[in-house]
Amino acid sequence: MTGKTLAEKLLSEKSGTDARAGDYVEAEIDVAMAHDITGPLAFQTFHEVAGEDADLFAPDRTIFTIDHHAPADGVQAANNHNAVRDFAAKHGANQFDVGDGICHAVLVEEGFVSPGDLVIGADSHSTTYGGLGAFGTGVGSTDLGTALASGELWFRVPQTMRFEVDGDLQDGVYAKDLILRFIGDVGFDGCTYKAAEYAGSTIESLPIHERLVLSNMAIEMGGKTGLVAPDDRTAAYLERQTGNEIDLDDAFRSDDDADYESVHTYDAAELAPQVSKPSNPENAVDVTDVEGTEIDQLFVGTCTNGRYEDIKIVADILEGETLAPNVRMVVVPASKSVYRHMLNTGVFQTLTDAGAVIQNAGCGPCAGYHQGVLGDGDVCLATANRNFPGREGSMESNVYLASPATVGASALYGEITDPRNIQTNRYDDTIFAEVLP
Amino acid sequence: MTDSNTTSGGTNPSDPARAWVFGDNIDTDQITPSRFIVSSDPDELAQHAFEDLRPEFSDSVEPGDFVVAGENFGSGSSREHSPLSLVGAGVSGVVAQSFARIFFRNAINLGLPVLICPGADAIDDGDEIHMDLDTGIVVNHTKDEQYDAEALPEFLQSLVEQGGLKAYTKAKLGR
């Protein structure tokens, strides 16, 4: 028998079986999450399955957020918010309200996720938690509602596609560029029903916020989860966030003789900044191929790249500068703590002085809900994860995806610009000492 | 599995009806534009199904009709609103060359029959088709053809036989 992948080990542990790719298992859930869009439907399921007054499987490990239409942009959204508040209060679950931030940022920052956990979220980007070595995966409301009652859910154990990256990234090149390249290479559905695993010396050198970017966008290639094996950096990050000591002795990593579906190797030094052209994340090209494309709106935020480190990169580029006259910029911090950090470090002032609009923490314009919707013919360059037709508004608008550095550089010129032509400080520089690892 | 051909919407995928054909990579935003997903009501969601992509869909779809698509149908969000909007529209099943994982799972959980059918690209918009869930065959009455689909894995079949995830969980909890 060959060794096991990280995904197989995680699901073996949680199901109490010798789980191998292709097996169907019932596994115990550690953490469950839903937000203002997916929560109300899950509550209906929970009531139907368990009854109105039943107990949640683990209220202390159940988290509800109000982040997608926050603050409410209409009566129905406001009613959804109230449904979340009422359910959380009645059942004693954790609840984060308007302005607290995006579910994925909140769960990570607040220390709800630990290496080895099985985390389900009623949001497709729940793959994010794989950046901490947890099996994070997105599910629908029926799945979530039943799991809130039973604490278990069925899973097909996925095969693993391994992405191995070695070497040093060029200045101006980030995890976002890596994941856009991976998606471009394997395709929008190239990892469907499978786990992505990111490994190699480049990945090991990435700080946690960058690993989360890789895991977040695993879903954009269809991935069930996107895993980075937990290491000392993971432990240090979590100890800082939670104050608790993390024991990595029990943490998993893939065996040397694990059976992968495929292995994809990359030389980090060869990677240029990437831009995904409309209207699919798989349309990734070198930034040089689309340089000069005129832009109307820049959007910095989302569960992919709305962390402090991301926004700091943009602020450093815009320090003392102003936006190109033809563009508007919307900045949406991923969480309240990011917002506060922006205020305390002067990033807020820098961006405002440059002409950016800064919104409350939340999902903002990512899916065209509100606060930055695109009109006919608008072109947006976004740090987001999706650029589907009409994603941020009009079906006649176009969204390009890129790293915060590419968005910041492009803001200076009003057209897509190679960030390598601009001074960009890497995250291992002293400027990030306050937020590393 | 005597009831497997009857969906929760009261439509029967073994009855022939028209196919609404879509292309590759139809994501959840295109199935249900995100501006409408503040509602969780199947009937209300159905009024906006495919609204930006095929505005005539919601007015013209008849209970029992089928949705047919290419690769990666239902990619994107985990929102169950998308399969729910099709249930609300009375769609009796979805045939696609491949599905995004969460959509496939959500559809099964909601009792919306889904078949992975590599030959689905032979079906044209407006063709009259039906699904045979027991044999995993899609029949095209207009063209007098039939296409093999992938049978549901044993585990999922047993889940369906037990009445779906809600019924399964209720039984497990002893309710």
Side-chain angles (χ1 to χ4, degrees), chain A residues 196-273:
Chain A
E197 180 178 322
Y198 310 110
S201 63
T202 311
I203 308 300
E204 287 165 15
S205 71
L206 290 177
I208 298 304
H209 70 270
E210 286 279 84
R211 298 182 187 183
L212 296 170
V213 174
L214 298 177
S215 297
N216 175 274
M217 287 191 71
I219 184 66
E220 267 67 61
M221 47 187 174
K224 184 174 198 150
T225 190
L227 300 168
V228 180
D231 59 13
D232 291 342
R233 213 181 257 271
T234 320
Y237 175 88
L238 288 169
E239 281 165 19
R240 193 193 67 197
Q241 292 301 119
T242 64
N244 301 327
E245 209 163 302
I246 299 291
D247 185 2
L248 283 176
D249 289 346
D250 297 330
F252 299 117
R253 51 178 50 245
S254 292
D255 290 326
D256 291 338
D257 61 343
D259 191 13
Y260 296 107
E261 190 266 346
S262 56
V263 179
H264 307 256
T265 56
Y266 290 85
D267 178 355
E270 288 180 2
L271 184 72

Side-chain angles (χ1 to χ4, degrees), chain A residues 19-20 83 94 117 121 154 160 245 306 351 357 415:
Chain A
R20 300 279 177 170
N94 299 281
D117 281 353
W154 66 269
T160 295
E245 209 163 302
L351 291 171
V357 169
E415 56 186 44

